[in-house]
Amino acid sequence: MLLRIVLRKNLSRLCAVLVAAAMAIAPLAPASAQQGKGPPILRDTETEVLLREYTRPILRVAGLEKQNIQMVIINDASFNAFVADGRRIFVNYGAILQSENPNQLIGVLAHETGHLAGGHLAKLRQQLATAQTQMIIATILGAGALAVGASRGGGNGGLANAGAATLSAPGEVIRRSLLSYQRQQEENADRAGVKFLTATAQSPKGMYETFKRFTNESLFAARGADPYLQSHPMPADRVEALEGLARQSPYWDKKDDAALQLRHDMVRAKISAFMERPDTVARRYPLSDNGLPARYARAISTYLHGDLRSALSQIDALIQVQPNNPYFYEVRGQALLEGGRPTEAIAPLRKAVQLSNNAPLIEMLLGQALVASENKAYTEEAISILRAAVARESEAPLGYAQLAMAYGRKGDYAEADLASAQAAFLRGDNKTARELASRAKTRFAVGSPGWVKADDIVASKPLSSQ
């Protein structure tokens, strides 16, 4: 909602599709949604941890600390963030990549928190419901006038015309009313965002800088536009109002902590390496740049595009600089795993799990390496690690898929079928999920925990239709 709001006929369906698309795989690899449904979602522990740290103090002063608000990264290069339900803030990876400092991104997140704290989505749904009722009434009245005009013959053209006007005019009025309501919501979210930033002793300058940047880029396109047809306030008006509020903050000139800036730059470098073309990465992070973020980006880009030996050498050099950075070990393990050397990937991934305090997405990567090693001695360990991971990250198809393989290697086909069914369900493949769950039910004792879980999947509706 930062840049624009798109009126959707069914916001709850959008949320369901986004949930169905959420998949945990290797760092910053897109999660495949059901074919043609919803945007892919990106998962990465390092990025998600940073986003949670950015939002935690904001959510606390907003009174949302106990609401378990999740950060969801969308695979979209444009700068945008939005809320589509009361439990998640969606952020395009482009917003992270294009935010030059933490404060700019934190300002965006503060604005979105303003929408959550204000209950704007629920209120918008009510406005939409009211508008729909008004449209139905107007349509009935207009249709009635048209019918009367038709029944009385050509002499009642005025009545028929009035009926046509009744059908068309209310729609335009209602549309403008809805857009006006949305503009007011945006203004309220701006004010709330500045309030939250000030309450957490953070500068609102980044929020202002971001809005001003996009205002400058859109001024030409906005010339001549009807201000009442904009879903957000007109850019210049909005930024002017925001600047007035932001400059009142005693923290206007406060700078980001240097350590936080480095972490921000490291995440941006990782996103660039995974999501941009190698030539783009090379231009953004040339060899002349010996900073840690540039070296991080080049190391990842090198392994992604085929030179594993050079990549490992670069990653090892990074580890020498920060030997307790879990994400360097994670990238090393991922490079080895994707390079066809899963047994060698186990040690760095164990280290990454340890240093990250058992981050579930990294545990899943370790479980994948243990399974891919084809060493039966690792089977029980893989099952133990993967079960712990999916217990804490329940919307992660990769964890369930690897768990199914581990159970299959053990010969426990009931659990293997159940885990496969859970993976398919989370991918949005409800047909396969039901088939696998039905087969799992025949392998479990009736009424056992596994049988009950399988039965729940058989009886469930597709995530995209809930």
Side-chain angles (χ1 to χ4, degrees), residues 150-206:
S151 68
R152 294 182 179 178
N156 286 287
L159 185 58
N161 290 336
T166 303
L167 281 172
S168 61
E172 180 64 16
V173 172
I174 292 168
R175 184 166 70 99
R176 285 173 175 261
S177 176
L178 282 171
L179 292 172
S180 175
Y181 181 76
Q182 287 182 278
R183 290 193 302 273
Q184 185 61 52
Q185 285 188 332
E186 292 299 323
E187 292 169 353
N188 291 341
D190 288 347
R191 286 193 291 270
V194 172
K195 176 184 174 182
F196 299 151
L197 291 166
T198 301
T200 53
Q202 299 184 85
S203 172
K205 182 185 286 188

Coordinates of all heavy atoms in Angstrom, one line a residue, residues 150-206:
A150 N -39.8 1.1 -20.9 CA -40.0 0.2 -22.0 C -41.5 -0.2 -22.1 O -42.0 -0.3 -23.2 CB -39.1 -1.0 -21.9
S151 N -42.1 -0.5 -21.0 CA -43.5 -1.0 -21.0 C -44.4 0.0 -21.5 O -45.5 -0.3 -22.0 CB -43.9 -1.5 -19.6 OG -44.0 -0.4 -18.7
R152 N -44.1 1.4 -21.3 CA -45.0 2.4 -21.7 C -44.8 2.9 -23.1 O -45.4 3.9 -23.6 CB -44.9 3.6 -20.7 CG -45.4 3.2 -19.3 CD -45.3 4.3 -18.4 NE -45.8 4.0 -17.0 CZ -45.9 4.8 -16.0 NH1 -45.4 6.0 -16.1 NH2 -46.3 4.4 -14.8
G153 N -43.8 2.3 -23.8 CA -43.6 2.7 -25.2 C -42.7 3.9 -25.4 O -42.1 4.4 -24.5
G154 N -42.6 4.3 -26.6 CA -41.6 5.3 -27.0 C -41.9 6.7 -26.4 O -41.0 7.5 -26.3
G155 N -43.1 6.9 -25.9 CA -43.3 8.2 -25.3 C -42.7 8.4 -23.9 O -42.8 9.5 -23.3
N156 N -42.1 7.4 -23.4 CA -41.4 7.5 -22.1 C -39.9 7.4 -22.2 O -39.3 6.8 -21.3 CB -42.0 6.4 -21.2 CG -43.4 6.7 -20.7 OD1 -43.7 7.6 -19.9 ND2 -44.3 6.0 -21.3
G157 N -39.4 8.0 -23.2 CA -37.9 8.0 -23.4 C -37.2 8.7 -22.2 O -36.1 8.3 -21.8
G158 N -37.9 9.7 -21.7 CA -37.3 10.4 -20.5 C -37.1 9.5 -19.4 O -36.1 9.5 -18.7
L159 N -38.1 8.7 -19.1 CA -38.1 7.8 -18.0 C -37.0 6.7 -18.2 O -36.3 6.4 -17.3 CB -39.4 7.1 -17.8 CG -39.6 6.2 -16.6 CD1 -39.3 7.0 -15.3 CD2 -41.0 5.6 -16.5
A160 N -36.9 6.2 -19.4 CA -35.9 5.2 -19.7 C -34.5 5.8 -19.6 O -33.6 5.2 -19.1 CB -36.1 4.7 -21.2
N161 N -34.3 7.1 -20.1 CA -33.0 7.7 -20.0 C -32.7 7.9 -18.5 O -31.5 7.8 -18.1 CB -33.0 9.1 -20.7 CG -33.1 8.9 -22.2 OD1 -32.7 7.9 -22.7 ND2 -33.6 9.9 -22.9
A162 N -33.7 8.3 -17.7 CA -33.4 8.5 -16.3 C -33.0 7.2 -15.7 O -32.1 7.1 -14.8 CB -34.7 9.0 -15.6
G163 N -33.6 6.1 -16.1 CA -33.2 4.8 -15.6 C -31.7 4.5 -16.0 O -30.9 4.0 -15.1
A164 N -31.3 4.8 -17.2 CA -29.9 4.6 -17.6 C -29.0 5.4 -16.7 O -27.9 5.0 -16.3 CB -29.8 4.9 -19.1
A165 N -29.4 6.7 -16.5 CA -28.6 7.5 -15.7 C -28.4 7.0 -14.2 O -27.4 7.1 -13.6 CB -29.1 8.9 -15.6
T166 N -29.6 6.4 -13.7 CA -29.5 5.8 -12.4 C -28.6 4.7 -12.3 O -27.9 4.4 -11.3 CB -31.0 5.4 -12.0 OG1 -31.9 6.5 -12.1 CG2 -31.0 4.8 -10.6
L167 N -28.5 3.9 -13.4 CA -27.5 2.8 -13.5 C -26.1 3.3 -13.5 O -25.2 2.6 -12.9 CB -27.8 1.9 -14.7 CG -29.0 1.0 -14.6 CD1 -29.2 0.3 -16.0 CD2 -28.7 -0.1 -13.6
S168 N -25.8 4.4 -14.2 CA -24.4 4.8 -14.4 C -23.9 5.7 -13.3 O -22.7 5.6 -12.9 CB -24.2 5.4 -15.8 OG -25.0 6.5 -15.9
A169 N -24.7 6.7 -12.9 CA -24.2 7.8 -12.0 C -23.7 7.3 -10.7 O -22.7 7.7 -10.2 CB -25.2 8.9 -11.9
P170 N -24.5 6.4 -10.0 CA -24.1 6.0 -8.6 C -22.7 5.3 -8.6 O -22.0 5.4 -7.7 CB -25.2 5.1 -8.2 CG -26.4 5.5 -9.0 CD -25.8 5.9 -10.3
G171 N -22.5 4.5 -9.7 CA -21.2 3.8 -9.8 C -20.0 4.7 -9.7 O -19.0 4.5 -9.0
E172 N -20.1 5.9 -10.4 CA -19.0 6.8 -10.4 C -18.9 7.5 -9.0 O -17.8 7.7 -8.5 CB -19.2 7.9 -11.5 CG -18.2 9.0 -11.6 CD -16.8 8.4 -11.9 OE1 -16.8 7.2 -12.4 OE2 -15.8 9.1 -11.8
V173 N -20.0 7.8 -8.4 CA -20.0 8.5 -7.1 C -19.4 7.5 -6.1 O -18.6 7.9 -5.2 CB -21.5 8.9 -6.7 CG1 -21.5 9.4 -5.3 CG2 -22.0 10.0 -7.7
I174 N -19.9 6.3 -6.1 CA -19.4 5.3 -5.1 C -17.9 5.1 -5.3 O -17.1 5.0 -4.4 CB -20.2 4.0 -5.3 CG1 -21.6 4.2 -4.8 CG2 -19.6 2.9 -4.4 CD1 -22.6 3.1 -5.2
R175 N -17.5 5.0 -6.6 CA -16.0 4.8 -6.8 C -15.2 5.9 -6.3 O -14.2 5.7 -5.6 CB -15.8 4.7 -8.3 CG -14.3 4.3 -8.7 CD -14.2 3.9 -10.2 NE -14.5 5.0 -11.1 CZ -13.5 5.7 -11.7 NH1 -12.3 5.4 -11.4 NH2 -13.8 6.6 -12.5
R176 N -15.6 7.2 -6.5 CA -14.9 8.3 -6.0 C -14.9 8.3 -4.4 O -13.9 8.6 -3.8 CB -15.5 9.6 -6.5 CG -15.2 9.9 -7.9 CD -16.0 11.1 -8.4 NE -15.5 11.5 -9.8 CZ -14.7 12.4 -10.1 NH1 -14.1 13.1 -9.1 NH2 -14.4 12.7 -11.3
S177 N -16.0 7.9 -3.9 CA -16.1 7.8 -2.4 C -15.1 6.8 -1.8 O -14.5 7.1 -0.8 CB -17.5 7.4 -2.0 OG -17.6 7.3 -0.6
L178 N -15.0 5.6 -2.5 CA -14.1 4.6 -2.0 C -12.6 5.1 -2.2 O -11.8 4.9 -1.3 CB -14.2 3.4 -2.9 CG -15.4 2.5 -2.5 CD1 -15.6 1.4 -3.5 CD2 -15.2 1.9 -1.1
L179 N -12.3 5.8 -3.3 CA -11.0 6.3 -3.5 C -10.6 7.4 -2.5 O -9.5 7.4 -1.9 CB -10.8 6.8 -4.9 CG -10.8 5.7 -6.0 CD1 -10.8 6.4 -7.4 CD2 -9.6 4.8 -5.9
S180 N -11.6 8.2 -2.2 CA -11.4 9.2 -1.2 C -11.1 8.6 0.2 O -10.3 9.1 1.0 CB -12.6 10.1 -1.1 OG -12.5 11.1 0.0
Y181 N -11.9 7.5 0.5 CA -11.7 6.8 1.8 C -10.3 6.2 1.8 O -9.6 6.3 2.8 CB -12.7 5.7 1.9 CG -12.6 5.0 3.2 CD1 -13.1 5.5 4.4 CD2 -12.0 3.7 3.2 CE1 -12.9 4.8 5.6 CE2 -11.9 3.0 4.4 CZ -12.4 3.6 5.6 OH -12.3 2.9 6.8
Q182 N -9.8 5.7 0.7 CA -8.4 5.1 0.7 C -7.4 6.2 0.9 O -6.4 6.0 1.5 CB -8.2 4.4 -0.6 CG -8.9 3.1 -0.7 CD -8.6 2.4 -2.0 OE1 -9.2 2.7 -3.1 NE2 -7.7 1.5 -2.0
R183 N -7.6 7.4 0.2 CA -6.6 8.5 0.4 C -6.5 8.9 1.9 O -5.4 9.1 2.4 CB -7.0 9.7 -0.5 CG -6.8 9.4 -1.9 CD -6.9 10.8 -2.7 NE -8.2 11.4 -2.5 CZ -9.3 11.2 -3.2 NH1 -9.3 10.3 -4.2 NH2 -10.4 11.8 -2.9
Q184 N -7.7 8.9 2.6 CA -7.7 9.2 4.0 C -6.9 8.2 4.8 O -6.2 8.5 5.7 CB -9.1 9.4 4.5 CG -9.2 9.8 5.9 CD -8.6 11.2 6.1 OE1 -8.9 12.1 5.4 NE2 -7.7 11.3 7.1
Q185 N -7.1 6.9 4.4 CA -6.3 5.9 5.1 C -4.8 6.1 4.9 O -4.0 5.9 5.8 CB -6.7 4.5 4.6 CG -8.1 4.0 5.1 CD -8.3 2.6 4.6 OE1 -7.8 2.1 3.6 NE2 -9.1 1.9 5.4
E186 N -4.4 6.4 3.7 CA -3.0 6.6 3.5 C -2.4 7.8 4.3 O -1.3 7.7 4.9 CB -2.7 6.9 2.0 CG -3.0 5.7 1.1 CD -2.1 4.5 1.4 OE1 -0.9 4.7 1.8 OE2 -2.6 3.4 1.3
E187 N -3.2 8.8 4.4 CA -2.7 10.0 5.2 C -2.7 9.6 6.7 O -1.7 10.0 7.4 CB -3.7 11.1 5.0 CG -3.7 11.7 3.6 CD -4.9 12.7 3.4 OE1 -5.8 12.8 4.3 OE2 -4.9 13.3 2.3
N188 N -3.6 8.8 7.1 CA -3.6 8.3 8.5 C -2.4 7.4 8.8 O -1.7 7.5 9.8 CB -4.9 7.6 8.9 CG -6.1 8.5 8.9 OD1 -6.0 9.7 9.0 ND2 -7.3 7.9 8.8
A189 N -2.1 6.6 7.8 CA -0.9 5.7 8.0 C 0.4 6.5 8.0 O 1.3 6.1 8.7 CB -0.9 4.7 6.8
D190 N 0.5 7.5 7.2 CA 1.7 8.4 7.2 C 1.8 9.0 8.6 O 2.9 9.0 9.2 CB 1.5 9.6 6.2 CG 1.7 9.1 4.8 OD1 2.1 8.0 4.6 OD2 1.3 9.9 3.9
R191 N 0.8 9.5 9.2 CA 0.8 10.2 10.5 C 1.2 9.1 11.6 O 2.0 9.4 12.5 CB -0.5 10.8 10.9 CG -0.7 12.1 10.1 CD -1.9 12.9 10.7 NE -3.1 12.2 10.5 CZ -3.9 12.4 9.4 NH1 -3.6 13.3 8.5 NH2 -5.1 11.8 9.3
A192 N 0.6 7.9 11.5 CA 0.9 6.9 12.4 C 2.4 6.4 12.3 O 3.0 6.2 13.3 CB 0.0 5.7 12.2
G193 N 2.9 6.3 11.1 CA 4.2 5.9 10.9 C 5.2 6.9 11.5 O 6.2 6.5 12.2
V194 N 5.0 8.2 11.4 CA 5.9 9.2 12.0 C 5.8 9.1 13.5 O 6.8 9.2 14.2 CB 5.5 10.6 11.5 CG1 6.2 11.7 12.3 CG2 5.8 10.8 10.0
K195 N 4.6 8.9 14.0 CA 4.4 8.7 15.5 C 5.2 7.5 16.0 O 5.8 7.6 17.0 CB 2.9 8.5 15.7 CG 2.5 8.3 17.2 CD 1.1 8.0 17.4 CE 0.7 7.6 18.8 NZ -0.7 7.3 19.0
F196 N 5.1 6.4 15.3 CA 5.8 5.2 15.8 C 7.3 5.4 15.7 O 8.0 4.9 16.6 CB 5.4 4.0 14.9 CG 3.9 3.6 15.0 CD1 3.3 3.0 13.9 CD2 3.1 3.9 16.1 CE1 2.0 2.7 13.9 CE2 1.8 3.6 16.1 CZ 1.2 3.0 15.0
L197 N 7.8 6.0 14.7 CA 9.2 6.2 14.6 C 9.7 7.1 15.7 O 10.8 6.9 16.3 CB 9.6 6.8 13.2 CG 9.4 5.9 12.0 CD1 9.4 6.7 10.7 CD2 10.4 4.8 12.0
T198 N 9.0 8.2 16.0 CA 9.4 9.1 17.0 C 9.3 8.4 18.4 O 10.2 8.6 19.2 CB 8.4 10.3 17.0 OG1 8.5 11.0 15.8 CG2 8.8 11.3 18.1
A199 N 8.3 7.6 18.6 CA 8.2 6.9 19.9 C 9.3 5.9 20.1 O 9.7 5.5 21.2 CB 6.9 6.1 19.9
T200 N 10.0 5.4 19.0 CA 11.1 4.4 19.1 C 12.4 5.1 18.9 O 13.4 4.5 18.6 CB 10.9 3.3 18.1 OG1 10.7 3.9 16.7 CG2 9.7 2.5 18.4
A201 N 12.4 6.5 19.0 CA 13.7 7.3 18.9 C 14.4 7.0 17.5 O 15.6 6.9 17.5 CB 14.6 7.0 20.0
Q202 N 13.6 6.9 16.5 CA 14.1 6.7 15.1 C 13.7 7.9 14.2 O 12.6 8.5 14.5 CB 13.6 5.4 14.5 CG 14.0 4.2 15.3 CD 13.6 2.9 14.6 OE1 14.3 2.4 13.7 NE2 12.5 2.4 14.9
S203 N 14.5 8.2 13.3 CA 14.2 9.3 12.4 C 13.1 9.0 11.4 O 13.2 7.9 10.8 CB 15.5 9.7 11.7 OG 15.2 10.7 10.7
P204 N 12.2 9.9 11.1 CA 11.3 9.8 10.0 C 11.8 10.3 8.7 O 11.1 10.3 7.7 CB 10.1 10.6 10.5 CG 10.7 11.7 11.3 CD 11.9 11.1 12.0
K205 N 13.1 10.7 8.7 CA 13.6 11.2 7.4 C 13.6 10.2 6.3 O 13.4 10.5 5.2 CB 15.1 11.7 7.7 CG 15.7 12.4 6.4 CD 17.1 12.8 6.6 CE 17.2 14.0 7.5 NZ 18.6 14.5 7.6
G206 N 14.0 9.0 6.6 CA 14.0 7.9 5.6 C 12.6 7.7 5.0 O 12.6 7.5 3.7

